[in-house]
Amino acid sequence: MSWNALSHMVYVEIPVGVGFSYSDDKAEYHIGDTQTARDNYMMLQEFYKKFPHLRALDLYLTSESYGGHYIPTLAREIVLGNQALLLFPNVTSSIGRSGSKNKKGSKVETNEMGKIRTEEEAAALKVPLPKHVKYNHINLKGFAIGNPFTDPVENMVGMIDALNGHDVIPESLYERWLATCEAKGAAVADVFYSHPCRLLQQKMWHEVGQGIDPYALDWPVCKDDVKLKGRNQRHALLEHLVRLDREDESIARVAEVAETGGDFAMRAAWDHDKHGLPFEPCEDDYLSLYLNRADVKAALHAKKDIKWKDCTDKVKYYGVDQDVYIEPIYRFLMDENRELGLRVLLFSGDDDSVCGPRGTEMWLRTMGWKVTKQWKAWVVEGEVAGYMKTYENGFVFATVLGAGHEVPAFTPQAAWFLFRSYLEGDVERLRMQ
């Protein structure tokens, strides 16, 4: 079920400071969505210079989770770069940024997404494209993202709806949250981060924190209380998305219970997917051990003195970027540049509450796209693997039955068939007849 049986695969550890990636300039660890997209674009240009025989092949971008920001912003960077090359073949620089003054007179900067940063932050973000370098067209054909984080409002509503749907939070608590937060927060993300809503959400995390994984509600968690690396990563993202207070002792206790598993670690009734393929709840631990072997580092040409971690404290990512709505970028890619015919697939494991399908469905309804092929089951070898619908611009949204946050880790066979059909441009053939 390996994806490299279907295509060339290039894995990128980004933003800089993640995994084996590094910079000799610590200021570059202060980064956000804009510079991450720029770095990815530069990486692709350099990759094709080193491997020019691959340049003519179709390029598809894939990611998951916060890749809901990384991938659309990179796709936009590529499209803008290609457009600039058509208009100005000798262009050697990228999009600039504008400066302004705030009320106190301190210089500030507005980035491409409209967010304001201080002069110090802006300087740290600026990693200019090399001068006098000729960039080339990138043959982007589309992208696929699993369980994408796209919209802070819909994601939060979808998260809590999923917890309620799985009956892991009390109905009375859910109803209080509906009355206090969702009704007022339909258009304002800050409502969810207000004190009354934060208190209710903290109570929810207390309920959820009894040894289950919010990224895979019905699957077993790793019970190894010595190596907790995988759960550290997942909790860090959850904490980031729901704005949990690191200084709150009660929240620290929730994290402790969630990570150690308490007495409830084997909540799920199975440890294999429906095709009999083994699920490894501790696979992140195995991955860390493997990547830190000297022979593996040598094979990857990684720096010997870097210890690979699934969670790093080097990167100072700008949290303000998580509140950027990505829908306008989809409009740019799918509406304003529809003639490009980009093939886009969003797929969501329906057992994930953190970036689950409900939130994605909510923001897709706001796009105003006509559904040309209605919601229907898709199958793998005669068994229902999920549900999908297709829009007039070719955009496909598919759920993956029983899968958690990282779909291929939970249902590798379904993920493999979905990815193959996507690359071949015929996802529709998976639909139940």
Side-chain angles (χ1 to χ4, degrees), residues 184-198:
K184 300 176 182 177
V188 184
D190 288 344
V191 172
F192 295 129
Y193 310 133
S194 66
H195 185 66
C197 292
R198 282 169 59 93

Side-chain angles (χ1 to χ4, degrees), residues 32-74:
D33 288 355
T34 300
Q35 192 59 49
T36 296
R38 184 72 48 78
D39 288 349
N40 264 323
Y41 179 75
M42 292 171 63
M43 181 282 303
L44 283 170
Q45 290 286 358
E46 293 301 316
F47 175 82
Y48 285 125
K49 289 177 184 177
K50 290 182 180 293
F51 304 99
H53 62 289
L54 298 176
R55 183 180 294 279
L57 297 181
D58 295 343
L59 173 67
Y60 294 93
L61 310 173
T62 63
S63 187
E64 60 94 32
S65 194
Y66 200 79
H69 278 226
Y70 294 148
I71 294 303
T73 54
L74 171 58

Side-chain angles (χ1 to χ4, degrees), residues 162 164 194 201 223 266:
N164 179 66
S194 66
Q201 287 153 197
K223 294 194 294 182
M266 291 303 293

Side-chain angles (χ1 to χ4, degrees), residues 81-121:
N82 288 344
Q83 291 173 345
L85 287 168
L86 287 174
L87 294 172
F88 310 102
N90 296 316
V91 166
T92 59
S93 62
S94 187
I95 303 168
R97 297 184 175 98
S98 60
S100 61
K101 296 282 184 178
N102 63 11
K103 292 182 179 179
K104 295 182 180 180
S106 173
K107 187 177 181 181
V108 298
E109 187 175 84
T110 304
N111 75 354
E112 296 154 22
M113 296 182 184
K115 293 293 182 180
I116 303 299
R117 307 188 193 283
T118 66
E119 186 175 12
E120 181 180 2
E121 290 172 340

Side-chain angles (χ1 to χ4, degrees), residues 1-11 416-417 419-420 423-424:
M1 299 302 138
S2 297
W3 286 18
N4 64 350
L6 301 171
S7 67
H8 295 289
M9 300 292 296
V10 180
Y11 292 89
W416 189 90
F417 275 94
F419 183 57
R420 186 185 72 173
L423 290 178
E424 295 174 352

Side-chain angles (χ1 to χ4, degrees), residues 65-270:
S65 194
Y66 200 79
H69 278 226
Y70 294 148
I71 294 303
T73 54
L74 171 58
R76 182 182 64 173
E77 191 83 5
I78 293 172
V79 170
L80 290 172
N82 288 344
Q83 291 173 345
L85 287 168
L86 287 174
L87 294 172
F88 310 102
N90 296 316
V91 166
T92 59
S93 62
S94 187
I95 303 168
R97 297 184 175 98
S98 60
S100 61
K101 296 282 184 178
N102 63 11
K103 292 182 179 179
K104 295 182 180 180
S106 173
K107 187 177 181 181
V108 298
E109 187 175 84
T110 304
N111 75 354
E112 296 154 22
M113 296 182 184
K115 293 293 182 180
I116 303 299
R117 307 188 193 283
T118 66
E119 186 175 12
E120 181 180 2
E121 290 172 340
L125 282 170
K126 284 187 176 179
V127 182
L129 292 173
K131 300 296 184 183
H132 311 300
V133 176
K134 179 78 165 59
Y135 287 107
N136 293 292
H137 177 87
I138 292 178
N139 196 24
L140 177 66
K141 294 299 182 180
F143 56 87
I145 314 175
N147 291 73
F149 176 70
T150 304
D151 179 320
V153 172
E154 271 76 0
N155 194 82
M156 178 64 74
V157 175
M159 180 189 302
I160 295 176
D161 279 355
L163 295 177
N164 179 66
H166 280 75
D167 291 316
V168 296
I169 55 176
E171 184 68 18
S172 59
L173 181 57
Y174 176 68
E175 290 176 350
R176 287 169 58 195
W177 181 84
L178 284 177
T180 306
C181 307
E182 183 174 2
K184 300 176 182 177
V188 184
D190 288 344
V191 172
F192 295 129
Y193 310 133
S194 66
H195 185 66
C197 292
R198 282 169 59 93
L199 288 178
L200 290 172
Q201 287 153 197
Q202 286 178 12
K203 291 180 180 179
M204 291 180 183
W205 312 139
H206 273 285
E207 300 293 338
V208 177
Q210 297 179 358
I212 66 173
D213 185 353
Y215 293 87
L217 293 169
D218 295 303
W219 290 83
V221 297
C222 179
K223 294 194 294 182
D224 187 341
D225 59 2
V226 177
K227 305 180 185 71
L228 299 172
K229 299 181 181 64
R231 289 187 294 287
N232 286 341
Q233 181 190 52
R234 290 189 290 272
H235 176 73
L237 176 62
L238 178 61
E239 183 180 60
H240 182 65
L241 296 184
V242 301
R243 307 291 179 86
L244 299 182
D245 189 345
R246 292 176 183 267
E247 304 302 322
D248 189 320
E249 293 183 2
S250 64
I251 294 303
R253 175 57 186 157
V254 173
E256 179 185 345
V257 173
E259 290 188 358
T260 59
D263 296 326
F264 306 92
M266 291 303 293
R267 177 182 176 91
W270 64 88

